[in-house]
Amino acid sequence: MSGEKSLKVALLGCGTVGAQVARILIEDGGALAARSGASLELTGIAVRNLEAKRDVQLDAKLFTLDAEALIDSADVVIELLGGMEPAGAYIERALARGASVITGNKALIAARGAALNAVAASTGAQLRYEAAVAGAIPILRPIADSLAGDHINKVMGIVNGTTNFILDAMDSTGAAFDDVLAEAQALGYAEADPTADVGGLDAAAKAAILASLAFHTTVSSDQVHTEGITEVSAADVTAAAAAGYVIKLLAIAEKLEAGISVRVYPSLIKRDHPLASVRGAFNAVFVEAENAGDLMFYGAGAGGNPTASAVMGDVVAVARQLSAGAPLPHGSADSAAQLIDFSAISTRYWIGLTVFDEPGVLARIAAIFGEHGVSIESMNQQAALGDGPAALRILTHRGTEAALASTVAALKALDAVDTVLSVMRVEGN
Amino acid sequence: MSGEKSLKVALLGCGTVGAQVARILIEDGGALAARSGASLELTGIAVRNLEAKRDVQLDAKLFTLDAEALIDSADVVIELLGGMEPAGAYIERALARGASVITGNKALIAARGAALNAVAASTGAQLRYEAAVAGAIPILRPIADSLAGDHINKVMGIVNGTTNFILDAMDSTGAAFDDVLAEAQALGYAEADPTADVGGLDAAAKAAILASLAFHTTVSSDQVHTEGITEVSAADVTAAAAAGYVIKLLAIAEKLEAGISVRVYPSLIKRDHPLASVRGAFNAVFVEAENAGDLMFYGAGAGGNPTASAVMGDVVAVARQLSAGAPLPHGSADSAAQLIDFSAISTRYWIGLTVFDEPGVLARIAAIFGEHGVSIESMNQQAALGDGPAALRILTHRGTEAALASTVAALKALDAVDTVLSVMRVEGN
């Protein structure tokens, strides 16, 4: 194309994803220009240590330690440093001077997305972050754009590859959490410090972003009820499998009459639910919309190339808009999120107990559920081993978290109950 | 919002989808304005017969027989008449005067999309047709936008709900095609004249659209190799199931070294492939991209509300762009599609034969495959019933369509072969 616009692109960070983004920008210039109507010139890559970049097949002259100077001469800034600072300050600096920003920084967007969007709106810059949720899967744009003429009622996703890898391996091998985690670390599917993943914090950031976009509001990570998978036992997984369920860590954003609920926890879902078949480190997001009905988006949730694909989709979108010359109107949040207290959320529960096998014990346990307004769907007693306590798994109909909590407290106080092994929710219809 | 743009929206057609689109435009005006930055005014609904619209809960004054007058005063035209004419003339008329058009007309876009895009490009109008492929599933925009910075190698989809309903019912009940088709017609999943669905023509139009967008080129329906499902027998479905496969009608667009292949045929896929679990009338599209890897998009492929959701997503996108004041650059096809002749396509095959159970017959059959360069992966002989011929199912490694055709011709000429029952391809790895 002759006479096309040329855009200066600054890259911040050159890790697994950044190196792939740099490669694509350099190798694929022609196709990117044809797609976006603008030629994209990678003007530099800001890194924290020039020595560390020797193994990357890129021109050494591209690297710089001066991120701010690079930002100040760019039309488009791609932030792939991760973490809160200096990433946040860099993004704000770019947006404030009218440069558009693409980032995959879920923690930052979940914490400060609304403030950064406001800066972008004030200068007409664009801020895009498709890579922040579910890696390569196009999910934020379908929610924000394709479903813009519909009403989303619920988003429920497997958005953390590490925990799905662990739960899937526990399901298929029967192994214990600690053993599978060690294996996942050896294979590179889990980090040396896996807290953010197995504790559900990574999924919570993604849940906050999904909720904000799906419901046109602002939800931050600290508003998400978050439970991780560290307490999920091999016995839970096996008993769930026997009952026709699989345990997945779900990020759920739901619009209810009283407001919005955003939560992350390990949950049982039926084996025939589309999310149940998501294996290994893959991600998938299930969306229920008023008119569209049930939709699912599936793909790789992490990795250098998949995440780079999402970043580059955003780069082309930004470049198209810049080459058209007029920014799209900035969508604004309709209002502050009306978040429902977690205790008011109602789901089905699956409770594992060990009980002393004495006459009338089942009746007494059933009575406790009834007294707290929680109705039992099924009770499954496994044979007691010798004289020890027998294992009992109880599936309930819908009840509130508050009712469930008081039921569990009463069960624990019952003499006939040895231990409450696990309390888990059941999602999906 | 004060001072926002107001856009005149003309609706052509008020069938199942049109009536829902009209309802949403009227009921949801506030949310649509907030999403798009423009208020949307439904100025009229062009129909062919005013009497037929009495049952729709819409103001009678909206209806008109004069589609052209309606188009000539509109900013945005939504075409939901279907068929080639007058829909094509109406769309061209709208685009020529600079009005943007949203349509769900797959047959028209597959046949004349390139010409209509050229008219749109000449006036700066937008032409969008997300609803034309896979109903509610956001698939065209993810392909054209989210994956714009990637390279798509293959798109493989279940894009026709009627045929998936039929094949799924055959798979779960063992019933014959004719019986299931009659049931599907009774349930409203198949039309009285099911030719376009069961003959693969509907899927071929969608395959042409997917190929054009995925490969930045122009492919029309008549360039798609098309086979329907009318020849799929209950015995095929049962034997496939026994071997761990399920039969699906697949629309495939593939980029190979020599060019592009676009084809529709019933194919075996492994039960653990994500497309295998797509049940009933649902649709799903599997995308393989160079960087993103494997992605899948799943949802309702038809129906008034789901299709209306896709139409409304396009309406909001058009309105956003119009309220921004500057059109996005029109993507142009990179070049005419270099289509590969179907005979050069290479897949795995699954061949069903009945053979006379005499000494040496398997060796002679195996030799025929070898002579034509087709390598056998497995052979499965079912016991002969009494003195009659025995059924044989042969799964091959990859071979070309040409080699397969000559193999089948030679098999038919062999005395020991009673009948070639079926020849089917196997897709997925």
Side-chain angles (χ1 to χ4, degrees):
Chain A
M1 281 189 214
S2 62
E4 76 191 4
K5 210 158 188 155
S6 175
L7 297 172
K8 290 186 163 59
V9 179
L11 179 59
L12 313 183
C14 197
T16 320
V17 180
Q20 293 306 320
V21 167
R23 174 185 65 76
I24 295 169
L25 280 167
I26 292 166
E27 286 180 1
D28 243 11
L32 292 168
R35 296 294 93 75
S36 63
S39 72
L40 303 171
E41 183 202 350
L42 177 61
T43 51
I45 306 173
V47 291
R48 272 172 260 202
N49 175 359
L50 290 175
E51 296 307 304
K53 296 303 144 198
R54 283 201 186 134
D55 55 333
V56 179
Q57 304 283 318
L58 293 166
D59 185 346
K61 279 179 292 192
L62 281 171
F63 292 100
T64 174
L65 293 171
D66 190 349
E68 298 191 346
L70 189 62
I71 291 166
D72 290 350
S73 67
D75 302 304
V76 178
V77 174
I78 304 173
E79 185 276 307
L80 296 169
L81 297 166
M84 299 302 279
E85 292 300 343
Y90 290 164
I91 290 178
E92 198 164 337
R93 184 184 185 101
L95 293 172
R97 51 176 294 282
S100 290
V101 172
I102 291 107
T103 176
N105 195 325
K106 60 210 159 244
L108 182 65
I109 294 297
R112 290 170 49 192
L116 294 172
N117 266 316
V119 178
S122 72
T123 63
Q126 299 173 70
L127 172 62
R128 288 180 177 266
Y129 41 87
E130 180 66 78
V133 180
I137 308 174
I139 180 64
L140 300 189
R141 254 200 283 191
I143 285 177
D145 297 348
S146 303
L147 291 167
D150 205 334
H151 295 276
I152 295 174
N153 295 321
K154 189 171 185 178
V155 179
M156 182 160 80
I158 294 169
V159 293
N160 180 275
T162 302
T163 47
N164 201 58
F165 177 89
I166 291 171
L167 291 171
D168 186 32
M170 289 174 73
D171 181 59
S172 54
T173 66
F177 173 80
D178 290 334
D179 296 337
V180 175
L181 173 59
E183 187 203 340
Q185 287 171 320
L187 291 170
Y189 285 115
E191 302 195 29
D193 176 2
T195 318
D197 292 317
V198 300
L201 304 173
D202 174 82
K206 293 163 179 171
I209 295 172
L210 288 168
S212 299
L213 287 173
F215 305 135
H216 315 289
T217 186
T218 304
V219 177
S220 59
S221 292
D222 53 11
Q223 295 177 295
V224 180
H225 173 91
T226 306
E227 300 175 32
I229 65 163
T230 49
E231 303 296 313
V232 177
S233 71
D236 291 336
V237 172
T238 308
Y245 290 90
V246 60
I247 298 175
K248 297 288 189 188
L249 182 69
L250 298 181
I252 301 171
E254 190 172 15
K255 186 189 265 171
L256 299 162
E257 259 181 57
I260 288 167
S261 164
V262 193
R263 51 197 201 265
V264 169
Y265 46 58
S267 173
L268 276 74
I269 50 172
K270 277 273 185 199
R271 293 239 166 220
D272 63 359
H273 191 284
L275 286 175
S277 59
V278 177
R279 309 295 304 271
F282 275 86
N283 281 196
V285 181
F286 196 78
V287 178
E288 293 176 24
E290 207 164 293
N291 292 310
D294 292 347
L295 301 168
M296 193 174 81
F297 304 79
Y298 165 95
N305 285 351
T307 310
S309 173
V311 169
M312 292 309 301
D314 278 352
V315 169
V316 170
V318 163
R320 275 182 188 160
Q321 209 60 53
L322 290 176
S323 76
L328 277 181
H330 268 265
S332 57
D334 288 351
S335 57
Q338 188 77 38
L339 280 148
I340 303 175
D341 191 80
F342 188 63
S343 64
I345 295 304
S346 144
T347 58
R348 294 159 68 212
Y349 301 94
W350 189 69
I351 297 154
L353 307 165
T354 52
V355 298
F356 299 107
D357 204 3
E358 52 197 43
V361 61
L362 292 187
R364 264 175 295 163
I365 287 170
I368 284 178
F369 280 85
E371 285 159 20
H372 294 88
V374 179
S375 156
I376 292 175
E377 183 181 316
S378 69
M379 239 179 184
N380 178 23
Q381 184 177 352
Q382 288 166 271
L385 296 170
D387 294 336
L392 194 63
R393 295 276 176 179
I394 298 167
L395 182 65
T396 76
H397 288 294
R398 276 184 174 275
T400 64
E401 286 288 333
L404 187 270
S406 57
T407 305
V408 170
L411 288 171
K412 283 181 175 167
L414 197 67
D415 281 346
V417 170
D418 179 36
T419 331
V420 176
L421 296 168
S422 65
V423 177
M424 229 172 274
R425 287 120 196 143
V426 182
E427 292 285 346
N429 298 318
Chain B
M1 281 189 216
S2 61
E4 75 189 4
K5 212 158 185 156
S6 174
L7 298 172
K8 290 187 163 61
V9 180
L11 178 59
L12 313 182
C14 197
T16 321
V17 180
Q20 293 306 321
V21 167
R23 174 186 62 79
I24 295 169
L25 280 167
I26 292 167
E27 286 179 3
D28 242 9
L32 293 167
R35 299 291 94 75
S36 63
S39 72
L40 302 170
E41 183 201 350
L42 178 61
T43 51
I45 306 174
V47 291
R48 274 172 260 203
N49 176 359
L50 291 176
E51 295 307 305
K53 297 303 143 198
R54 283 202 186 134
D55 55 332
V56 180
Q57 305 284 321
L58 294 167
D59 186 345
K61 280 179 292 192
L62 281 171
F63 293 98
T64 173
L65 294 170
D66 191 348
E68 299 190 345
L70 189 61
I71 291 165
D72 290 350
S73 67
D75 302 304
V76 178
V77 174
I78 304 173
E79 185 278 307
L80 295 169
L81 297 164
M84 300 301 278
E85 291 301 343
Y90 290 163
I91 290 178
E92 197 164 337
R93 184 183 187 104
L95 294 172
R97 51 176 295 283
S100 290
V101 172
I102 291 108
T103 175
N105 195 325
K106 59 211 160 242
L108 182 65
I109 294 296
R112 291 170 51 192
L116 293 172
N117 267 317
V119 177
S122 73
T123 63
Q126 300 173 68
L127 172 62
R128 288 181 177 264
Y129 40 87
E130 180 65 78
V133 180
I137 309 174
I139 180 63
L140 300 189
R141 254 200 280 191
I143 285 178
D145 297 347
S146 304
L147 292 166
D150 204 334
H151 295 278
I152 294 174
N153 295 321
K154 189 172 184 177
V155 179
M156 183 159 82
I158 295 170
V159 293
N160 180 274
T162 303
T163 48
N164 201 59
F165 177 89
I166 292 172
L167 291 171
D168 186 31
M170 289 174 74
D171 181 59
S172 54
T173 66
F177 173 79
D178 289 334
D179 296 337
V180 176
L181 172 59
E183 188 203 340
Q185 286 171 319
L187 291 170
Y189 285 115
E191 302 195 31
D193 176 1
T195 318
D197 292 316
V198 301
L201 303 173
D202 174 82
K206 293 163 179 171
I209 294 172
L210 288 168
S212 300
L213 287 173
F215 306 136
H216 315 289
T217 185
T218 303
V219 177
S220 59
S221 291
D222 53 12
Q223 294 177 295
V224 180
H225 173 90
T226 307
E227 299 175 31
I229 65 163
T230 49
E231 303 297 311
V232 177
S233 70
D236 291 336
V237 171
T238 308
Y245 291 90
V246 59
I247 299 176
K248 298 287 190 188
L249 182 69
L250 298 181
I252 301 171
E254 192 173 13
K255 186 189 264 172
L256 300 161
E257 259 181 56
I260 288 166
S261 164
V262 192
R263 52 198 201 265
V264 169
Y265 47 58
S267 172
L268 277 73
I269 49 173
K270 277 272 187 199
R271 293 238 165 222
D272 62 2
H273 190 283
L275 286 176
S277 59
V278 177
R279 309 295 305 270
F282 275 85
N283 281 196
V285 180
F286 196 78
V287 177
E288 293 177 25
E290 209 163 291
N291 292 311
D294 292 348
L295 301 168
M296 192 172 83
F297 304 79
Y298 165 95
N305 285 351
T307 311
S309 173
V311 168
M312 292 309 302
D314 278 352
V315 169
V316 170
V318 162
R320 276 182 188 161
Q321 211 59 54
L322 290 175
S323 75
L328 279 181
H330 267 267
S332 58
D334 287 352
S335 58
Q338 188 78 37
L339 280 148
I340 303 175
D341 192 81
F342 189 63
S343 64
I345 295 304
S346 144
T347 57
R348 295 159 66 210
Y349 301 94
W350 189 68
I351 297 155
L353 306 166
T354 52
V355 298
F356 298 107
D357 203 3
E358 52 197 45
V361 61
L362 292 187
R364 265 175 295 163
I365 287 171
I368 285 178
F369 280 86
E371 284 158 21
H372 295 89
V374 179
S375 157
I376 292 174
E377 182 181 317
S378 69
M379 238 180 184
N380 177 24
Q381 185 177 351
Q382 289 167 268
L385 295 170
D387 293 336
L392 195 63
R393 296 276 175 178
I394 298 166
L395 182 65
T396 76
H397 289 294
R398 276 185 173 275
T400 64
E401 287 287 333
L404 187 268
S406 58
T407 306
V408 171
L411 288 171
K412 283 182 174 166
L414 197 68
D415 280 347
V417 170
D418 178 39
T419 331
V420 175
L421 296 170
S422 65
V423 176
M424 229 172 273
R425 288 119 197 144
V426 182
E427 293 284 347
N429 299 318

